Amino acid sequence: MENRFVIAVYVDNKSGVLTRVTAMFTRRGFNIDTLTVGETERSEYSRITISMHGDEYVKEQMVNQLKKLYVVKKVEVLESEPIKRELMLIKVENKSENRSDIMTAVDVFRASVIDYSPEAMCIEVTGNPSKIDAFVKLMQPFGILEMCRTGIVALDRGADTLFTE
């Protein structure tokens, strides 16, 4: 049975590291649903958050292969229900007959209009991926001109941390 899972990876914060990690996925024919990367609380490390789907075999293979890379310091599947967030910027047509409906949706979804012109408005939405999906579906009838999503970032709940030296 295929499941979605999230893998958190601490790596050296050096050039070429992301290429090594993603090449490992490519070589094995696994597809990444989302991938985000950024510097951590320690500037010498970056954290890669990978969202994938697959069975237990896929999950085990990815974790085992990641652990073999010398640039990888720690790998963990976020097993419990982690805190997941995503950011999306979406540009929609700004037609006068739709403006109040769009603004109502912005309020309900706790989003923000970050750019406004007579032809279009750009909206920022953050939250759980299902919230982002619901907002996209709601905006489709109004005319989506462009959108981009960051992918999932996730942390385990509670005081435990992924990486300690």
Side-chain angles (χ1 to χ4, degrees), residues 25-65:
F25 282 80
T26 303
R27 283 192 306 270
R28 283 153 185 82
F30 294 119
N31 188 41
I32 297 170
D33 295 329
T34 68
L35 182 141
T36 57
V37 62
E39 193 174 276
T40 67
E41 66 282 357
R42 298 180 185 150
S43 62
E44 65 268 24
Y45 301 115
S46 289
R47 181 181 171 129
I48 301 172
T49 305
I50 302 164
S51 166
M52 299 180 61
H53 61 277
D55 57 19
E56 282 298 313
Y57 174 77
V58 169
K59 185 175 13 175
E60 284 181 33
Q61 281 297 304
M62 295 322 320
V63 169
N64 291 336
Q65 296 300 320

Side-chain angles (χ1 to χ4, degrees), residues 72-83:
V72 172
K73 303 304 171 201
K74 176 81 178 195
V75 179
E76 186 174 302
V77 176
L78 303 181
E79 296 287 356
S80 63
E81 189 53 40
I83 301 165

Side-chain angles (χ1 to χ4, degrees), residues 86-153:
E86 187 173 355
L87 166 70
M88 177 183 65
L89 300 178
I90 185 168
K91 190 182 295 184
V92 296
E93 292 182 37
N94 186 8
K95 295 181 180 173
S96 58
E97 64 269 17
N98 298 331
R99 195 169 296 131
S100 65
D101 291 335
I102 292 170
M103 294 308 294
T104 298
V106 166
D107 288 341
V108 167
F109 280 80
R110 294 189 188 123
S112 301
V113 175
I114 57 173
D115 187 56
Y116 188 94
S117 74
E119 301 83 28
M121 66 175 80
C122 186
I123 303 163
E124 174 186 327
V125 188
T126 58
N128 199 311
S130 62
K131 174 185 174 182
I132 304 293
D133 293 339
F135 192 81
V136 169
K137 188 174 182 179
L138 191 61
M139 290 296 110
Q140 284 172 337
F142 302 124
I144 297 172
L145 300 172
E146 189 175 13
M147 69 179 219
C148 60
R149 294 173 72 160
T150 60
I152 295 170
V153 292

